[in-house]
């Protein structure tokens, strides 16, 4: 009668002793900073420090040469940078680039749809157009359009080999601005067509099948389902093409249009002693314009990547705040030791 209670009483201390031993064997966690034995030391990378030092020395030498070399004439650069003649040329550059970008993208979408069409005529004409304008240099296209009046003094719209309904003078219509925009747009449409076509083909085939299974019209399928998903692939490539277009506007100087480069070039011929400062003026303005386009590209990509990424890419301001926060944490950790 007394054996069972003794067995129960003896089993309880044995159970608690095992639990206590497990608790005592677990390492105690301290609330303070980790000791020297518990810290994880980063891997030593001496090559990275050497490469960083060499790059900093080269950048410092280049900056020193830009600042101290009197041949750059930074005082003349500051004089010409915001002169009205330069700003007028900059405005023409923006007008030509904006019009060409819009018309080139519209033409590229149309050509891409023609290449993806089931009609052999549309596919053949679209492929021939893209092949032709990607083969001919842009300067040749501009010069050809500039001298088009010699080949066709007047243009007409009507029935082929029949009567003409409308006739207008080509020399009055084809101003320098129109020739520049037309040449850049025709060439830009050929490259934009391949970018748009690649973006449409990057959309999963299941999306096309799902849209077709819903019984939606083809136009609605492309505008509301396929094209918004394709924009995620189209935007980075087309913005790179847009930056190239912005720099290609410097060629319109050869069709007698004084854009930014044309204004700088004409000023350099008038003031031969300021050639280098004027070239620096054009360089800095092109860098500013391409940088602004890159900023717009970042936010457009961030907008269209919302459905594909778990978290949106941090903005430069958010990265700066995160860097400052990490510096504060490191400083507090070091001072607490």
């Amino acid at each position: 009668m007394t054996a069972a209670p003794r067995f129960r009483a003896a089993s309880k201390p044995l159970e608690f002793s095992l639990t206590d031993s497990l608790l005592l064997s677990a390492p105690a966690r301290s609330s303070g900073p980790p000791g020297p034995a518990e810290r994880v030391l980063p891997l030593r990378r001496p090559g990275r420090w050497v490469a960083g030092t060499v790059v900093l020395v080269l950048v410092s030498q280049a900056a020193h040469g830009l600042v101290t070399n009197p041949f750059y004439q930074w005082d003349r650069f500051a004089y010409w940078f915001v002169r009205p003649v330069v700003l007028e040329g900059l405005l023409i550059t923006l007008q030509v680039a904006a019009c060409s970008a819009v018309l080139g993208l519209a033409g590229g979408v149309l050509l891409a749809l023609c290449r993806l069409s089931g009609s052999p005529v549309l596919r053949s004409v679209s492929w021939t157009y893209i092949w032709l304008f990607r083969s001919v240099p842009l300067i040749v296209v501009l010069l050809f359009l500039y001298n088009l009046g010699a080949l066709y003094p007047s243009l007409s719209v009507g029935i082929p080999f029949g009567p003409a309904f409308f006739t207008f003078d080509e020399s009055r219509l084809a101003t320098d601005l129109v020739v520049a925009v037309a040449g850049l747009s025709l060439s830009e449409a050929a490259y934009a067509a391949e970018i748009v076509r690649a973006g449409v083909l990057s959309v999963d085939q299941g999306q096309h099948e799902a849209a077709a299974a819903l019984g939606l019209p083809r136009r609605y399928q492309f505008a509301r389902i396929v094209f918004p998903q394709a924009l995620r692939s189209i935007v980075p490539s087309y913005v790179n093409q847009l930056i190239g277009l912005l720099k290609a506007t410097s060629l319109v100087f050869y069709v007698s249009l004084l854009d930014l480069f044309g204004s700088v070039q004409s000023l350099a011929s008038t003031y031969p002693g300021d050639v280098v400062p004027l070239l620096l003026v054009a360089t800095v303005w092109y860098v500013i314009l391409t940088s602004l386009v890159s900023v717009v590209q970042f936010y457009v990509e961030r907008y269209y990547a919302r459905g594909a990424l778990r978290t949106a890419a941090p903005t430069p301001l958010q990265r700066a705040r995160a860097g400052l926060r990490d510096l504060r944490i490191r400083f507090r950790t070091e001072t607490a030791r």
Side-chain angles (χ1 to χ4, degrees), residues 298-299 314-325:
F298 171 80
Y299 284 99
T315 62
L317 183 58
Q318 292 174 346
R319 292 179 182 177
R321 290 177 178 175
L324 291 176
R325 185 167 54 251

Side-chain angles (χ1 to χ4, degrees), residues 1 16 21 29 108 116 125 151 157 166 176 186 244 254 284-285 287 304 315 336:
M1 297 296 293
F16 283 109
S21 63
R29 297 183 179 178
L116 297 173
V125 172
L151 295 174
V157 178
F166 304 100
D176 296 338
L186 291 174
Y254 295 98
V284 172
W285 273 119
V287 169
Y304 283 105
T315 62

